[in-house]
Amino acid sequence: MERPAVQRLLLEVQAKRIDVIVVYKVDRLTRSLADFAKLVELFDAHGVSFVSVTQSFNTTTSMGRLTLNVLLSFAQFEREVTGERFATRLPPRRRKAYGWAGGSARLPVEARALHIVEDHAELVRGCSSAISKSSA
């Protein structure tokens, strides 16, 4: 878990400055079942309770842990399906030559400034005047 805020939270837990962690939804903390299992183990070792405002479960009972694991399994499944969907949609877009497929446009270093290409300038001027005449 590379998230800086979670790392700070874990340091506070280890320093025993926190006794309850409250989240809006469990998947806002992590969507990885493995990561969450490690977090719960750390919380238990330091006597920290875990509460979700919108999802009622109790991590101190076996039924509560089962419910939590099911919720996290679905959150992890959703994350993986979204990644797969994204990965399968990009290559066809690139093959169809849609050009930009998301993200920042990457320009070569020499194209970072605008320059008039004289070979194309006359064509552009012609198109521009044709559009101006047709809309008048």
Side-chain angles (χ1 to χ4, degrees), residues 49-115:
S49 300
F50 181 79
V51 178
S52 170
V53 174
T54 59
Q55 300 156 318
S56 57
F57 53 83
N58 181 355
T59 58
T60 60
T61 66
S62 59
M63 190 61 170
R65 286 185 188 273
L66 173 65
T67 304
L68 188 57
N69 282 333
V70 169
L71 283 171
L72 285 167
S73 292
F74 276 106
Q76 184 169 341
F77 170 74
E78 180 183 9
R79 183 187 68 190
E80 291 171 2
V81 167
T82 300
E84 289 168 2
R85 219 179 275 141
F86 185 76
T88 57
R89 288 183 65 195
L90 272 181
R93 287 180 60 88
R94 289 187 178 129
R95 276 195 301 276
K96 288 183 180 179
Y98 284 130
W100 183 73
S104 299
R106 303 286 182 228
L107 297 174
V109 173
E110 64 275 359
R112 304 249 175 194
L114 297 176
H115 301 283

Side-chain angles (χ1 to χ4, degrees), residues 14-63:
Q14 291 167 342
K16 298 192 185 253
R17 287 185 220 137
I18 294 177
D19 57 0
V20 177
I21 295 175
V22 179
V23 295
Y24 179 71
K25 288 178 88 174
V26 176
D27 67 357
R28 303 314 311 143
L29 181 61
T30 181
R31 291 188 181 183
S32 166
L33 190 55
D35 286 347
F36 190 77
K38 291 174 191 170
L39 289 173
V40 168
E41 188 176 316
L42 179 74
F43 297 162
D44 287 347
H46 291 87
V48 174
S49 300
F50 181 79
V51 178
S52 170
V53 174
T54 59
Q55 300 156 318
S56 57
F57 53 83
N58 181 355
T59 58
T60 60
T61 66
S62 59
M63 190 61 170

